[in-house]
Amino acid sequence: MKQSIKVSVDAVVFGYDPDEGISILLIKRKFEPFQKFWALPGGLVKDDESLEEAVRRELQEEAGIDVNYLEQLYSFGKPERDPRNRVISIAYFGLVRPADYQLSAQTDAEDVAWFSIKKLPRLAFDHKVILDTAIKRLRGKIAYEPIGFELLDKKFPFSDLEKLYQILLDQEIDRRNFKKKIISYGFLEELDEVIQKKSGRPARLFQFNKKKYFELKEKGYNFDIFF
Amino acid sequence: MKQSIKVSVDAVVFGYDPDEGISILLIKRKFEPFQKFWALPGGLVKDDESLEEAVRRELQEEAGIDVNYLEQLYSFGKPERDPRNRVISIAYFGLVRPADYQLSAQTDAEDVAWFSIKKLPRLAFDHKVILDTAIKRLRGKIAYEPIGFELLDKKFPFSDLEKLYQILLDQEIDRRNFKKKIISYGFLEELDEVIQKKSGRPARLFQFNKKKYFELKEKGYNFDIFF
DNA sequence: CCAAAAGTGTTGTTGTTACACCCATGC
DNA sequence: GCATGGGTGTAACAACAACACTTTTGG
């Protein structure tokens, strides 16, 4: 059987800033179709690279960014999703830490930028569908896996985590109960350092201990944050 | 850029029988490579069909089966997974009801059969990896979505459900607590009919009310069964 | 009357929610 | 000394886990 289907990868990369909220990385297309539309970074897979390698390469080429967490999201394969010819796309889901987030925000003038998920431009192809799938995944996943930490600095004040959950779950969270619950899991380390971002009392810094988390997970612990 | 990657779909289809446990559907390969090895049903996607259409077509062609639940599982794309040329496979996850399960078990003599997940043959390509991914998904998913019902007859005695969960979670479950919890969700209907499978007291039949389930889900109910 | 499977409640323990005041800093 | 954000405990309530005997049928 003769088959003429092309294979591409696309990445939905999330960044977070306690003031800006959740953003995603988009690039502006140079060529037709959808010239000058904003689109997810991505492109055709090379014959000799794995899917994940392809995503990382494209992110490097198109946005100069290194994601800190990457997982496969879903594959999109409707025959009509690309007007030229059939392309199936394997979409990935990525998270970057604030350091990278800030960095790429500088490249602003070019054709790569962060967009708050609250005010998104029209996207090329079916990228809106892909994006919506990714947002759903992020919202769902944060409740039962501690991936939130991948969006924060290695050392962060507790309030950053708190705000992240409030934004993602889109609801008020009781500060005391939230802290009690997170601390009770035992994979957070409280440091002696403090930081003062704006006014007010300086905050102690915390860090996520991945090793401890995996140990606890082995023992059949299960993380879940529902309020 | 010239790309020569082929796109296929593969299906991991689960069946269940309270006595046999969980089985999956395999076909025996007629041609090289991996001639005479057992493999997941699947094949190349046609240029004008969607991915899901491709899976359903292949399952119909290769096993004469109609799955009752189907979702995308994961895409496997390592460059070396097919010895001939590069093929990326989009794997699907399916569940069939006992009626279909019995039916295909008749076709036994041919090159399609059910295998208990406890004693599997060596599989072609990387199908073992795909299968393991699917089993993990099934185990994980059954705890927070009521997909277990898709593996049972439309009307079933409560003990069938009980056994299904015990097998999948691989642990004893307290019958009273389990029933209390499931009933409390309110999406099961108790019928006036009874059934007697072996010896012992006949059992009342139940059925899953999908509509009620979706209503409850809308209201922000969340199903979860952990013990 | 025995074997086999179905049906059924209560209680102690644990986890979850609701709630408000003081503390450390910069200006 | 005031504005800003950080830090902390307790009590009522809800959910979960542990537990065993009775009922209906067939042989």
Side-chain angles (χ1 to χ4, degrees), chain B residues 16-18 21-22 139 162-170:
Chain B
Y16 166 68
D17 176 279
I22 301 289
R139 290 224 164 94
E162 216 177 280
K163 277 180 205 142
L164 175 60
Y165 273 84
Q166 304 212 45
I167 288 172
L168 278 175
L169 302 178
D170 194 31

Side-chain angles (χ1 to χ4, degrees), chain A residues 27-30 34-39 122-125:
Chain A
I27 58 151
K28 198 174 209 169
R29 288 180 56 83
K30 279 186 183 158
F34 293 102
Q35 194 181 6
K36 296 197 178 166
F37 274 67
W38 290 93
R122 265 198 76 199
L123 299 184
F125 305 104

Side-chain angles (χ1 to χ4, degrees), chain B residues 27-39 124-125:
Chain B
I27 58 151
K28 199 173 211 169
R29 288 180 58 83
K30 279 187 182 157
F31 308 108
E32 290 292 350
F34 293 103
Q35 194 182 5
K36 296 197 176 165
F37 274 66
W38 290 93
F125 305 103

Side-chain angles (χ1 to χ4, degrees), chain B residues 44-55:
Chain B
L44 293 184
V45 175
K46 290 186 177 168
D47 284 350
D48 60 352
E49 70 186 352
S50 72
L51 301 172
E52 191 173 318
E53 279 162 10
V55 180

Side-chain angles (χ1 to χ4, degrees), chain A residues 40-51:
Chain A
L40 297 173
L44 293 184
V45 176
K46 291 187 175 167
D47 284 350
D48 59 352
E49 69 186 352
S50 72
L51 301 173

